Amino acid sequence: MSCSNLTMLVSSKPSLSDASNLSFRSVLNPFQLPSQNSPASTPSRSSVTPVQCGLRELRTRIDSVKNTQKITEAMKLVAAAKVRRAQEAVVNGRPFSETLVEVLYNINEQLQTEDIDVPLTKVRPVKKVALVVCTGDRGLCGGFNNAILKKAEARIAELKDLGLDYTVISVGKKGNSYFIRRPYIPVDRFLEGGTLPTAKEAQAIADDVFSLFVSEEVDKVELLYTKFVSLVKSDPIIHTLLPLSPKGEICDVNGNCVDAAEDEFFRLTTKEGKLTVERDSVRTKTSDFSPVLQFEQDPVQILDALLPLYLNSQILRALQESLASELAARMSAMSSATDNAIELKKNLSRVYNRERQAKITGEILEIVAGANALQ
């Protein structure tokens, strides 16, 4: 039985012997899905969508929505497990970067009175800026990629207003396809990330920005990535990658510190049969350097060796933060998709039951009418 423009409106308790209780009314939109924008008491015909299909088509569509719900729920659980591993990667690399900051700070303290020339910390007048834009390799993660690309577009507009030249180093398939479609944006290099960021991938980016900065092709390098805040929140930020701060601080373009004092673990657990999120704070402890500590090598040589290493660690941490944010965004998007599938399945089931009941009532009406005709 297919949907038509003829809807049978039956009283709540019809009497089979009295055909007057059954009436027919022609309406425009039969078997409508309930509208969420209009009140239930005064439904609006213009704000709802009619379902023009039969029982078989409705059953097929309900089965399709059920399969979609299973897929999105599985993708949500996979993303949740990957978020955990991404967080562990960030926290496991934290002691190394913190200790490296301590070494840089202590060397800088000893070189306060000396006139040295370290290329990566040299500040010069800015004429050209390199933007390292970190995006994801896949979609189905809500507005994750769109947010960081909008941030990059806004920063490019600011540089244009200041009269500065710029170039882009794109990291991630989504960013690569975005900038390929916009040839008016100068791109120095396209890079693709892996499933899990590694030091080798970070070193490839570090070598590129190092050569650009040391050769004075660019005077400043800025890193654009998405900082992981929580499972439901992530902030696209910009921080100055080069010239490096001698103290090893991570600051944005306005000079504000954007590095976290402590890391947070977000863990999915079950409570009373429902998924809940628990949060644990993890602070990395590093040993303090003795004030009488002396370095065997020349401090300038140590800085030349440590600053590129610290540059690599900053890029690796940014890639790990971006991956954790992408997975959290995907988990949130799949959770919303699962909820929408459940709601759609409920509405389709309601429409299916109404149409099935209308078909049964129509058949009963035909039997009663035939019995009355034989009398």
Side-chain angles (χ1 to χ4, degrees):
M1 175 181 178
S2 62
C3 301
S4 62
N5 289 333
L6 188 63
T7 303
M8 294 178 295
L9 300 179
V10 187
S11 60
S12 58
K13 294 183 179 180
S15 174
L16 296 180
S17 61
D18 187 4
S20 63
N21 289 333
L22 300 174
S23 61
F24 297 86
R25 185 176 300 173
S26 178
V27 294
L28 294 177
N29 295 325
F31 307 114
Q32 297 170 343
L33 290 176
S35 173
Q36 297 179 355
N37 299 326
S38 60
S41 58
T42 57
S44 175
R45 291 183 179 179
S46 61
S47 62
V48 294
T49 304
V51 179
Q52 302 289 346
C53 55
L55 291 177
R56 181 177 299 176
E57 289 82 359
L58 278 174
R59 282 197 299 267
T60 302
R61 190 174 178 188
I62 290 173
D63 292 338
S64 176
V65 172
K66 286 181 180 179
N67 294 333
T68 303
Q69 176 189 344
K70 293 178 182 178
I71 293 172
T72 55
E73 193 166 2
M75 292 180 68
K76 171 187 173 182
L77 297 177
V78 170
K82 289 184 177 180
V83 165
R84 175 69 180 185
R85 289 199 296 269
Q87 288 178 314
E88 289 177 351
V90 172
V91 174
N92 291 337
R94 186 75 177 183
F96 173 77
S97 61
E98 288 288 344
T99 305
L100 197 56
V101 168
E102 292 288 339
V103 174
L104 289 175
Y105 179 78
N106 282 273
I107 295 176
N108 181 70
E109 289 293 323
Q110 295 190 13
L111 298 178
Q112 292 259 334
T113 58
E114 300 182 20
D115 186 14
I116 61 172
D117 183 20
V118 181
L120 293 183
T121 61
K122 185 178 180 181
V123 180
R124 52 181 181 259
V126 178
K127 297 179 182 178
K128 188 174 182 180
V129 180
L131 302 176
V132 182
V133 183
C134 301
T135 59
D137 290 336
R138 298 170 55 197
L140 297 177
C141 52
F144 168 79
N145 292 308
N146 192 32
I148 191 65
L149 290 173
K150 280 187 176 180
K151 190 81 170 179
E153 288 279 7
R155 184 56 180 165
I156 288 173
E158 292 177 3
L159 295 176
K160 286 182 178 179
D161 293 338
L162 295 174
L164 300 177
D165 292 333
Y166 64 91
T167 186
V168 175
I169 299 174
S170 177
V171 182
K173 293 181 181 179
K174 289 296 180 180
N176 293 348
S177 61
Y178 179 84
F179 290 114
I180 287 173
R181 294 194 302 268
R182 290 160 178 80
Y184 57 87
I185 298 178
V187 179
D188 180 76
R189 191 174 179 184
F190 294 100
L191 299 171
E192 292 186 4
T195 305
L196 190 64
T198 60
K200 184 178 180 180
E201 297 174 3
Q203 188 61 47
I205 303 173
D207 291 341
D208 195 18
V209 299
F210 179 83
S211 60
L212 288 175
F213 186 78
V214 173
S215 63
E216 298 187 2
E217 293 184 31
V218 298
D219 304 304
K220 190 178 183 182
V221 179
E222 295 177 355
L223 183 61
L224 291 80
Y225 69 99
T226 307
K227 183 175 177 59
F228 180 80
V229 180
S230 68
L231 290 177
V232 294
K233 182 182 179 183
S234 57
D235 296 329
I237 63 172
I238 307 174
H239 89 250
T240 302
L241 192 61
L242 290 175
L244 286 174
S245 170
K247 295 184 179 181
E249 296 174 347
I250 301 178
C251 300
D252 60 12
V253 292
N254 298 320
N256 301 320
C257 181
V258 297
D259 197 12
E262 61 183 19
D263 293 291
E264 289 184 333
F265 266 138
F266 294 89
R267 184 172 64 252
L268 280 179
T269 60
T270 56
K271 186 177 182 181
E272 297 180 357
K274 296 182 179 180
L275 285 176
T276 59
V277 179
E278 292 184 359
R279 177 184 301 181
D280 297 328
S281 297
V282 179
R283 181 177 291 273
T284 303
K285 295 182 180 179
T286 56
S287 57
D288 296 331
F289 278 76
S290 173
V292 296
L293 180 66
Q294 294 183 354
F295 297 95
E296 183 177 348
Q297 293 180 333
D298 185 25
V300 177
Q301 296 180 359
I302 299 177
L303 274 182
D304 289 338
L306 288 183
L307 286 178
L309 188 60
Y310 183 66
L311 175 65
N312 189 354
S313 68
Q314 280 196 27
I315 295 175
L316 178 60
R317 181 173 175 83
L319 293 177
Q320 291 171 341
E321 292 258 6
S322 181
L323 177 63
S325 301
E326 179 187 357
L327 293 172
R330 182 170 292 112
M331 188 184 72
S332 178
M334 292 301 101
S335 177
S336 299
T338 302
D339 295 340
N340 292 338
I342 293 173
E343 184 67 22
L344 180 58
K345 183 178 67 174
K346 185 191 301 182
N347 292 336
L348 289 174
S349 299
R350 185 183 298 115
V351 174
Y352 174 81
N353 292 333
R354 287 177 180 173
E355 186 169 345
R356 184 173 60 87
Q357 184 64 39
K359 181 180 179 181
I360 294 173
T361 306
E363 293 175 352
I364 294 174
L365 182 60
E366 291 176 359
I367 294 174
V368 173
N372 291 334
L374 295 176
Q375 291 178 359

